[in-house]
Amino acid sequence: QVQLGESGGGLVQAGGSLRLSCAAGGRTFRNYHMGWFRQPPGKEREFVAAINWSGGNTNYADSVKGRFTISRDNAKNTVYLQMNSLKSEDTAVYYCAAGTGWTWTIRNTEKGAYGYWGQGTQVTVSS
């Protein structure tokens, strides 16, 4: 099992930057693929970015490609989401998620592939 806790959210002006962190408890973090999802107000939870267990592969939603960067430090049991050039439409609760036992290239954007979720952190971008 893995326990997840996000931090780094807050209020930022459009065009600004934030870095979200997700700390994982447990000794098997390096076995898990990691993802970031977000839930805008009144909308469904949606895929943002994913990174495979080794950090060698990443994937992004079209809406954040070129602005957001996902990374991980397996020695620190932490995954990051660097968010630049933020827009008002990036306002959402951001969740990190962990999953294992599936082919990353096939399922990394699927909510159902991730068995563990953090509690979420609010990101608000003012225009």
Side-chain angles (χ1 to χ4, degrees):
Q1 286 198 350
V2 61
Q3 300 81 40
L4 303 173
E6 303 93 338
S7 61
L11 174 64
V12 63
Q13 288 190 331
S17 298
L18 281 175
R19 188 175 82 154
L20 304 184
S21 299
C22 174
R27 295 179 294 176
T28 58
F29 174 75
R30 64 179 65 250
N31 294 339
Y32 287 84
H33 308 310
M34 300 298 295
W36 285 98
F37 291 77
R38 68 186 181 187
Q39 188 162 13
K43 296 185 178 180
E44 296 288 320
R45 194 171 300 189
E46 63 185 19
F47 169 74
V48 175
I51 189 166
N52 76 328
W53 67 273
S54 69
N57 289 286
T58 58
N59 189 29
Y60 298 91
D62 288 343
S63 58
V64 307
K65 204 168 291 184
R67 300 188 297 122
F68 290 11
T69 302
I70 188 171
S71 61
R72 67 188 295 162
D73 185 336
N74 284 347
K76 294 183 178 180
N77 284 11
T78 302
V79 63
Y80 305 96
L81 186 68
Q82 177 66 44
M83 306 186 295
N84 299 329
S85 302
L86 283 160
K87 305 175 181 180
S88 58
E89 51 263 44
D90 295 318
T91 295
V93 178
Y94 283 72
Y95 299 88
C96 70
T100 190
W102 39 269
T103 302
W104 185 86
T105 53
I106 297 175
R107 301 195 66 194
N108 72 86
T109 65
E110 298 178 17
K111 291 190 294 289
Y114 296 88
Y116 301 97
W117 293 80
Q119 80 285 353
T121 186
Q122 176 70 48
V123 171
T124 303
V125 183
S126 63
S127 56

